[in-house]
Amino acid sequence: MSDRHRTESDRRELAFDGALNLRDLGGLPTAHGPTRFGRVVRGGRRERLTAEGWRQLAAYGIGHVIDLRTPAEVHRRPSDPPVPATAWESFDILQLPVEDFAVADYVDALDHPYLNHPKHYPLLLDHFPAELAAVMRALARIARLPAAQASPDSPRPGVCIHCSAGRDRTGLVSAWLLQLAGVADRDIIADYRRSLDRVNEYHRTSGHPVEKYEPPAVFEPWARSRTEALAEFLAAHPAAEVLPRLGLTAHEVAALASLLAPQGSRPAPPAG
């Protein structure tokens, strides 16, 4: 890895106080330069952030939060820091779950208590297309906001996308955004692998009821099955083809493409 790429990679990691698996989607290569920093960050559950972590998120330019979890997941755990609601009152927080465990056919199709493998991403397309469309439309709306400094009446332009660990639900949405920005699938998969590594390290001390830290001999084949499945998903369900089928307009897709597009580049104009 060149010094420049190492610097870009290090810059992507956001060690905000309390954050889990938090990083910027900027700095990934495209044909026209690296994706933009400060527009989209991805991570795990927001309840882990301390008051200082929320302050750091705001100072970084993030004014919007899209939470992909189900309502039952949105609560403070005993291990979470006590944080006053004033810490996040300046953020536009949208609760946009991409799955519903009341849908029996979806639950039956999973071979795990929750979505944790890209081989199951197509189930979201099959069972929850409207929910996925709502997330992408919200991101398109945010993309259209002026990238100017915040004011009391105008939220900061950056957005944080998160689920529980910031791995799979967040990984799917992030992958589509990166595809639209022109990032190659191999680099998207490498970014997803970062999440696998970060979450495995987190499980050294997490006390999670289902997952635990796995040593390399176990973790590597576990991770390889997931990166291979993500490669298959991205090839079969590219964002530019899927989003119009979900009902997004050409202008919405173009707005999504502009969200991470390299500074000074111009996404292809919408058809029609």
Side-chain angles (χ1 to χ4, degrees), residues 148-228:
Q149 71 266 24
S151 73
D153 300 316
S154 176
R156 298 169 296 277
V159 58
C160 174
I161 306 166
H162 80 90
C163 50
S164 184
R167 183 178 58 194
D168 284 293
R169 288 168 288 188
T170 300
L172 169 56
V173 174
S174 298
W176 276 344
L177 289 177
L178 291 169
Q179 275 193 325
L180 291 174
V183 177
D185 286 359
R186 66 179 178 276
D187 294 313
I188 296 171
I189 293 162
D191 180 71
Y192 174 74
R193 172 60 197 248
R194 278 199 189 202
S195 287
L196 299 181
D197 294 338
R198 300 296 181 274
V199 175
N200 191 47
E201 283 298 315
Y202 161 69
H203 285 317
R204 285 183 185 270
T205 58
S206 71
H208 195 277
V210 177
E211 296 185 34
K212 65 182 188 301
Y213 170 78
E214 300 290 0
V218 176
F219 178 72
E220 287 302 325
W222 184 93
R224 185 167 57 252
S225 74
R226 283 157 174 78
T227 55
E228 290 173 353

Side-chain angles (χ1 to χ4, degrees), residues 54-231:
W54 282 103
R55 188 200 66 75
Q56 291 171 308
L57 198 64
Y60 195 71
I62 303 302
H64 307 269
V65 177
I66 293 182
D67 185 344
L68 305 175
R69 298 174 297 170
T70 63
E73 296 175 86
V74 183
H75 59 84
R76 184 179 175 275
R77 298 176 185 175
S79 58
D80 293 331
V83 180
T86 53
W88 60 80
E89 66 183 6
S90 71
F91 290 81
D92 172 28
I93 299 178
L94 299 177
Q95 190 72 38
L96 295 173
V98 294
E99 59 187 340
D100 181 353
F101 281 88
V103 178
D105 288 347
Y106 173 66
V107 174
D108 291 344
L110 289 173
D111 58 6
H112 196 268
Y114 49 83
L115 181 76
N116 86 329
H117 200 302
K119 71 181 181 182
H120 287 141
Y121 291 3
L123 294 176
L124 298 181
L125 284 169
D126 292 341
H127 294 281
F128 309 111
E131 288 80 356
L132 288 172
V135 171
M136 303 312 288
R137 283 200 177 94
L139 286 164
R141 177 184 61 80
I142 292 167
R144 294 191 185 104
L145 296 175
Q149 71 266 24
S151 73
D153 300 316
S154 176
R156 298 169 296 277
V159 58
C160 174
I161 306 166
H162 80 90
C163 50
S164 184
R167 183 178 58 194
D168 284 293
R169 288 168 288 188
T170 300
L172 169 56
V173 174
S174 298
W176 276 344
L177 289 177
L178 291 169
Q179 275 193 325
L180 291 174
V183 177
D185 286 359
R186 66 179 178 276
D187 294 313
I188 296 171
I189 293 162
D191 180 71
Y192 174 74
R193 172 60 197 248
R194 278 199 189 202
S195 287
L196 299 181
D197 294 338
R198 300 296 181 274
V199 175
N200 191 47
E201 283 298 315
Y202 161 69
H203 285 317
R204 285 183 185 270
T205 58
S206 71
H208 195 277
V210 177
E211 296 185 34
K212 65 182 188 301
Y213 170 78
E214 300 290 0
V218 176
F219 178 72
E220 287 302 325
W222 184 93
R224 185 167 57 252
S225 74
R226 283 157 174 78
T227 55
E228 290 173 353
L230 180 58

Side-chain angles (χ1 to χ4, degrees), residues 254-269:
L256 291 170
S258 73
L259 193 55
L260 289 168
Q263 198 72 39
S265 68
R266 291 289 182 268

Side-chain angles (χ1 to χ4, degrees), residues 16-55:
F16 296 168
D17 199 31
L20 168 64
N21 190 27
L22 187 68
R23 64 185 176 277
D24 201 309
L25 288 183
L28 289 167
T30 77
H32 304 288
T35 52
R36 281 196 290 169
F37 279 95
R39 295 297 277 139
V40 184
V41 303
R42 55 171 294 169
R45 47 193 300 278
R46 66 180 185 271
E47 291 87 358
R48 286 181 51 88
L49 288 171
T50 65
E52 173 62 13
W54 282 103
R55 188 200 66 75

